[in-house]
């Protein structure tokens, strides 16, 4: 039942604006995100008490109206909203599920840049995905961990929570003294007063909200600088320091390898957050600072770092395009093994095709459950066909066009769509344009039909 809180007057008569849509009609999450505006910056001021599990927040959202707006929606799940202003004037707001409808005192004109300020608090919750995994605000032994893919970010701040709307971020978190609060980007300030410490983080490059993170706990934080001057910031739970040391020491070398293959690194810092194994069920490519539950192995480190190009910088336009993230990140694992004394990408492809890659028969067969560009529903956007068969599509492209053209395509793709959104059609058109001739172009078109969109197990010579 919608609750209406009147905290300011409506605009006068004669308003010709209309409400923004309450979703962007994503194929799998139709009510995720909102229409009518584009967010350019989030400024989040948070306070968290782990003992009470209580979060207080103020979100200042800078956005540009795409149309004349009489009202607009934000996504926020579970937390209590005490007040909203738009351009400094009190606004009316209404709650219905995770939809927060805001009605400004004055109409917003198309093209107008505005600031909405939302004050909220409460006990943030974990969200159970359609596939049964947990995201949102996860309680840990000494704090919390915020993970957002695909819908969890709305559990801890209001916003336009769809990957098609990227923005820059300032995230300031205050926690009890003795704890650390780690987020994306660079640490710009740390100060302690009256038993509480504030950590301020800044992310200048555009970021989809599902890639934003906050990790609260007792971390050992270290900062180093690569030969190219890139800050590398790691935060490791003390229980994971010894087990993580060897793999995290590879981070600069893996980054150098990735840049040779994928093009220049797209962000102004890098690093990792390593929590306990029990704190989450999966690693996640949170922007500039991937999260690992327990010490990662080399393959997982390579996978999540590859996502900084494929998924974080070049972000899918909808959740249907998830294979553009996971197919390339999985193929990065194959390439890294090939370049470092392991199986070649062709050997990995062949083992997967023949059903010999995994010890478990069901795992080998699962790759053929559906085409990577057509997951059956929201519960399957992170299933094996998106990862493994997606990587097979990438390898088929490489075989079709040859290594020289393949690496030109990969680096050109990350350059052309750097800090932008792209979908599968954008990708197929880009590959066809740069395939290197009619014969190669015809080969990749057959790949789309047989491997990317085709049902079942394609024939493979």
């Amino acid at each position: 039942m919608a609750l209406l809180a009147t905290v300011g007057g409506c605009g006068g008569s004669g308003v010709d604006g209309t409400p923004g849509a309450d979703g962007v009609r994503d194929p799998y999450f139709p009510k995720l995100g909102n229409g009518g505006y584009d967010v350019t910056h989030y400024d989040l001021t948070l306070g968290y008490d782990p003992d009470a599990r209580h979060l207080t927040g103020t979100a200042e959202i800078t956005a540009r109206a795409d149309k004349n707006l009489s009202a607009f929606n934000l996504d926020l799940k579970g937390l209590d909203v005490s007040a909203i202003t738009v351009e400094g004037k009190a606004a009316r707001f209404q709650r219905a599920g995770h939809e927060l409808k805001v009605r400004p005192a004055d109409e917003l004109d198309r093209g107008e840049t505005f600031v909405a300020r939302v004050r909220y608090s409460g006990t943030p919750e974990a969200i159970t995905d359609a596939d049964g995994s947990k995201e949102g605000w996860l309680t840990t032994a000494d704090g919390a961990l915020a993970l957002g893919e695909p819908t969890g970010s709305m559990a801890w701040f209001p916003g336009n929570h769809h990957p098609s709307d990227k923005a820059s971020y300032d995230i300031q978190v205050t926690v009890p003294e003795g704890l650390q609060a780690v987020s994306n980007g660079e640490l710009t300030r740390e100060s302690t007063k009256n038993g509480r410490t504030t950590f301020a983080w800044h992310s200048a490059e555009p970021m989809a909200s599902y890639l934003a993170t906050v990790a609260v706990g007792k971390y050992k934080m270290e900062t180093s600088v690569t030969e190219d001057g890139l800050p590398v910031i790691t935060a490791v739970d003390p229980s994971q320091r010894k087990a993580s040391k060897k793999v995290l020491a590879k981070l600069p070398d893996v980054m150098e390898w990735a840049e040779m293959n994928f093009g220049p690194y797209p962000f102004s810092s890098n690093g990792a957050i390593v929590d306990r194994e029990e704190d989450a069920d999966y690693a996640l490519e949170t922007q500039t600072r991937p999260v690992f539950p327990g010490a990662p192995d080399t393959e997982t480190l390579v996978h999540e770092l590859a996502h900084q190009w494929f998924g974080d910088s070049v972000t899918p336009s909808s959740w249907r395009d998830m294979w553009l993230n996971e197919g390339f990140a999985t193929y990065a694992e194959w390439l890294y093994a090939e370049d470092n004394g392991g199986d070649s990408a062709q050997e990995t492809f062949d083992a997967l095709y023949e059903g010999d890659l995994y010890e478990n028969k069901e795992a080998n067969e699962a790759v053929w459950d559906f085409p990577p560009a057509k997951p059956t529903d929201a519960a399957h956007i992170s299933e094996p066909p998106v990862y493994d068969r997606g990587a097979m599509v990438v390898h088929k492209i490489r075989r079709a066009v040859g290594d020289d053209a393949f690496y030109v395509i990969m680096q050109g793709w990350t350059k052309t769509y750097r800090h932008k959104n792209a979908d599968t059609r954008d990708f197929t058109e880009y590959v066809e344009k740069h395939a290197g001739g009619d014969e190669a172009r015809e080969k990749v078109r057959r790949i789309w039909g047989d491997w990317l969109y085709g049902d079942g197990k394609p024939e493979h010579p």
Side-chain angles (χ1 to χ4, degrees), residues 255-266 309-310 407 410-412 414-415 418:
M255 283 292 298
E256 183 179 356
W257 171 86
E259 286 195 291
M260 288 178 60
N261 285 272
F262 311 140
Y265 181 66
W309 285 262
F310 303 102
Y407 285 100
M410 273 210 304
Q411 295 185 21
T414 61
K415 180 180 180 180
R418 181 183 175 98

Side-chain angles (χ1 to χ4, degrees), residues 68-322:
N68 292 337
L69 286 173
S70 60
F72 60 91
N73 281 34
L74 299 168
D75 301 312
L76 180 66
K77 185 174 176 62
L79 296 166
D80 299 321
V81 176
S82 59
I84 300 178
T85 62
V86 178
E87 289 296 271
K89 295 183 179 180
R92 299 167 64 191
F93 59 91
Q94 191 175 15
R95 301 291 298 271
H98 76 266
E99 296 291 341
L100 173 60
K101 178 172 282 190
V102 181
R103 194 173 296 277
D106 300 317
E107 175 186 336
L108 299 170
D109 295 330
R110 180 180 179 181
E112 177 181 353
T113 296
F114 64 94
V115 176
R117 190 171 187 268
V118 183
R119 293 176 56 192
Y120 59 99
S121 62
T123 302
E125 62 185 76
I127 296 173
T128 301
D129 282 344
D131 65 2
S133 59
K134 297 287 187 181
E135 57 177 291
W137 193 269
L138 308 180
T139 301
T140 64
D142 57 358
L145 179 62
L147 300 177
E149 188 180 53
T151 67
S153 49
M154 65 180 174
W156 58 282
F157 70 97
N160 198 16
H161 291 302
H162 188 266
S164 60
D165 192 359
K166 302 168 71 170
S168 58
Y169 281 74
D170 282 290
I171 300 177
Q172 178 177 290
V173 189
T174 301
V175 295
E177 185 177 1
L179 298 180
Q180 285 75 44
V182 189
S183 190
N184 314 86
E186 295 79 58
L187 182 64
T188 59
R189 180 171 59 88
E190 178 182 342
S191 60
T192 300
K193 183 178 180 181
N194 298 327
R196 293 178 68 79
T197 304
T198 298
F199 298 84
W201 296 85
H202 176 67
S203 296
E205 299 91 358
M207 178 166 65
S209 64
Y210 82 90
L211 299 169
T213 190
V214 167
V216 176
K218 295 180 179 179
Y219 298 103
K220 174 63 176 178
M221 293 182 63
E222 296 182 355
T223 300
S224 60
V225 180
T226 67
E227 292 182 359
D228 296 332
L230 182 76
V232 179
I233 305 165
T234 59
V236 181
D237 185 276
S239 68
Q240 303 300 315
R241 284 191 67 193
K242 184 176 180 180
S244 299
K245 186 175 181 180
K246 186 176 181 179
V247 172
L248 292 184
K250 296 180 180 181
L251 202 154
D253 290 339
V254 173
M255 283 292 298
E256 183 179 356
W257 171 86
E259 286 195 291
M260 288 178 60
N261 285 272
F262 311 140
Y265 181 66
F267 302 110
S268 53
S269 66
N270 196 2
I273 299 170
V274 182
D275 240 316
R276 298 177 180 86
E277 292 183 1
E278 61 269 25
D279 290 338
D281 296 329
Y282 51 88
L284 189 63
E285 63 270 21
T286 43
Q287 191 160 301
T288 67
R289 201 141 297 115
V291 170
F292 302 97
D297 55 25
T298 302
E299 292 77 14
T300 306
L301 181 68
V302 169
H303 185 103
E304 302 307 334
L305 289 178
H307 271 309
Q308 303 304 306
W309 285 262
F310 303 102
D312 294 13
S313 176
V314 184
T315 303
S317 296
S318 81
W319 288 111
R320 177 183 287 158
D321 306 302
M322 183 81 155

